[in-house]
Amino acid sequence: MPMRRVPFVLALLLAAGAPLGAVAQDRPPPGADAPMPAPRPWSALTADEKDILSPLARDWDTFPPQRQSRMLDKAQRWRGLPPERRAEIRDRIARWQQMTPQERDEARRNRQKFQDLTPEQRARLHDAFERFRTLTPQQRDALVDKWRDLTPEQRRDAVDHLGPNDALPPPPGDHPPRP
């Protein structure tokens, strides 16, 4: 995966969490005796709800009532988001939809790797991502060139063994220990 896609993949991993979490919540937790919400047919939704949930229009009436209820709750939260946050989410969704099935699988695997990190490792990865974002275009190009010089096997090995602090130079002020 080219280094210029690293920020995209990280952003996608964070964005992908919500939809994947929603899928996992289709079933109530064991022992949950919450009353089942009544189904709401598409025709009974308000114009605003239909507008927000329009990507689901075709399948809406097939969703279980609990999923419909969760989606309506999300639509309510969506209304409260600032316009720039809505635009960011729409952009992430559009990028996800343009990905190939293989790229989506890779993103899911990377998300799981992220979830498996300790809080300290996540913080270090976040710091590395923030450092990447602050690199100059020349520094980013140097990282991309370094990546391109690797063989496919070296790239796979690098990704498989990549630690949170391996992708970028140390933060400003940090100096590697001298031998």
Side-chain angles (χ1 to χ4, degrees):
M1 175 173 25
M3 287 303 289
R4 66 178 182 265
R5 289 178 55 190
V6 169
F8 165 72
V9 170
L10 289 175
L12 183 61
L13 289 174
L14 296 174
L20 293 175
V23 171
Q25 294 176 6
D26 277 350
R27 290 175 236 92
D33 293 327
M36 180 73 83
R40 296 225 5 231
W42 183 258
S43 60
L45 299 181
T46 67
D48 190 39
E49 290 170 335
K50 286 180 180 178
D51 182 52
I52 293 170
L53 298 169
S54 62
L56 307 173
R58 188 183 55 179
D59 300 321
W60 180 261
D61 290 333
T62 67
F63 292 160
Q66 280 187 307
R67 185 169 182 196
Q68 288 179 353
S69 178
R70 275 194 316 278
M71 298 307 289
L72 288 165
D73 288 344
K74 289 178 184 198
Q76 182 66 31
R77 285 195 304 267
W78 176 263
R79 278 184 279 239
L81 291 176
E84 56 275 359
R85 180 72 177 126
R86 288 184 189 188
E88 180 183 317
I89 292 170
R90 282 187 183 114
D91 183 48
R92 287 180 181 175
I93 291 170
R95 282 188 273 173
W96 178 262
Q97 290 173 337
Q98 292 172 359
M99 292 172 75
T100 66
Q102 294 80 14
E103 289 171 326
R104 289 181 186 183
D105 288 343
E106 183 178 350
R108 288 182 185 107
R109 283 191 304 274
N110 287 338
R111 180 183 181 277
Q112 186 58 52
K113 283 183 182 180
F114 181 79
Q115 294 298 325
D116 292 343
L117 295 175
T118 65
E120 179 183 279
Q121 289 171 321
R122 287 183 194 184
R124 288 195 325 241
L125 184 60
H126 177 74
D127 291 343
F129 177 69
E130 289 303 317
R131 287 195 316 273
F132 181 84
R133 287 176 32 151
T134 62
L135 292 177
T136 65
Q138 295 81 14
Q139 290 171 316
R140 287 184 188 183
D141 289 344
L143 283 175
V144 170
D145 290 341
K146 183 178 176 181
W147 178 260
R148 286 183 181 149
D149 290 342
L150 298 176
T151 66
E153 183 178 296
Q154 289 171 320
R155 289 179 186 176
R156 278 191 300 278
D157 188 53
V159 169
D160 289 343
H161 298 96
L162 185 65
N165 294 321
D166 294 339
L168 299 171
D174 285 1
H175 300 287
R178 294 183 185 241

